[in-house]
Amino acid sequence: MANYAYKARNSGGQLVEGVLEGATSGAVADILLGQGVVPVEIRETKAAAKSSGAPG
């Protein structure tokens, strides 16, 4: 699977950014929509996917 950098808008209209791992950009869009955010941009990247969990 590849890593995808994304920009999305949450329910409050705020811009959120991150990196997710997925089979395709469409799969990443599905993940984001499932989290309640609307994708604005998704592009493949070499950056590692970031954990969305709290540290520790």
Side-chain angles (χ1 to χ4, degrees), residues 1-55:
M1 290 211 273
N3 293 322
Y4 291 89
Y6 67 85
K7 293 182 183 180
R9 298 272 177 190
N10 65 16
S11 60
Q14 295 175 315
L15 184 67
V16 292
E17 299 180 62
V19 178
L20 287 174
E21 185 178 66
T24 65
S25 60
V28 171
D30 288 342
I31 292 167
L32 293 170
L33 290 167
Q35 294 177 349
V37 296
V38 179
V40 175
E41 177 184 332
I42 300 173
R43 59 183 170 76
E44 193 168 353
T45 183
K46 301 282 187 204
K50 296 177 184 173
S51 171
S52 60

